[in-house]
Amino acid sequence: QVQFVESGGGLVQPGESLTLACEASGSIFSIYRIHWYRQAPGKQREWVAGISRSGITNYADSVTGRFTISRDNAKNTAYLQMSRLKPEDTAVYYCNTPSRANDYWGQGTQVTVFS
């Protein structure tokens, strides 16, 4: 089954940018819709952005205009470009596909925006 490894997180200041990567293995990446999620301390995991097999994207209201999701099927990788980061974007970021959301989550990557 498909599995994901997230990377690219880090410590940044408000207003800065960061790009996360989501590398897939175990199956044919191009057939999967990919979503990014995040979980802040003490909060439930929330959906951030999604990209379909054909490249159609959608975003949570809180990140629209600041985050961009993309995919490179040749590299089995999806990306989340984050700009104008805010302290409230601090969270562990995960990628997944809807069919695996009930039984599998990767280790995620930590994003910390500090002022």
Side-chain angles (χ1 to χ4, degrees):
Q1 298 194 57
V2 67
Q3 295 185 324
F4 304 99
V5 176
E6 303 91 344
S7 64
L11 202 61
V12 296
Q13 294 186 328
E16 294 187 338
S17 299
L18 212 53
T19 297
L20 307 182
C22 166
E23 185 172 1
S25 63
S27 188
I28 303 172
F29 176 72
S30 61
I31 70 173
Y32 292 100
R33 180 176 180 85
I34 301 298
H35 291 182
W36 281 97
Y37 303 81
R38 66 187 181 187
Q39 187 166 19
K43 296 187 177 181
Q44 289 190 333
R45 187 179 289 132
E46 65 173 353
W47 174 80
V48 174
I51 185 166
S52 72
R53 292 178 294 178
S54 61
I56 297 172
T57 60
N58 52 0
Y59 301 92
D61 289 344
S62 59
V63 306
T64 296
R66 300 188 299 121
F67 290 12
T68 302
I69 188 172
S70 61
R71 66 190 299 158
D72 185 340
N73 290 336
K75 295 182 178 180
N76 292 340
T77 302
Y79 302 94
L80 186 68
Q81 295 174 276
M82 306 184 294
S83 63
R84 291 182 280 141
L85 283 161
K86 305 175 181 180
E88 51 263 44
D89 294 319
T90 294
V92 178
Y93 284 72
Y94 303 87
C95 62
N96 210 338
T97 191
S99 63
R100 295 228 61 192
N102 288 332
D103 67 341
Y104 169 80
W105 290 90
Q107 86 287 349
T109 186
Q110 176 71 49
V111 173
T112 303
V113 185
F114 71 100
S115 55

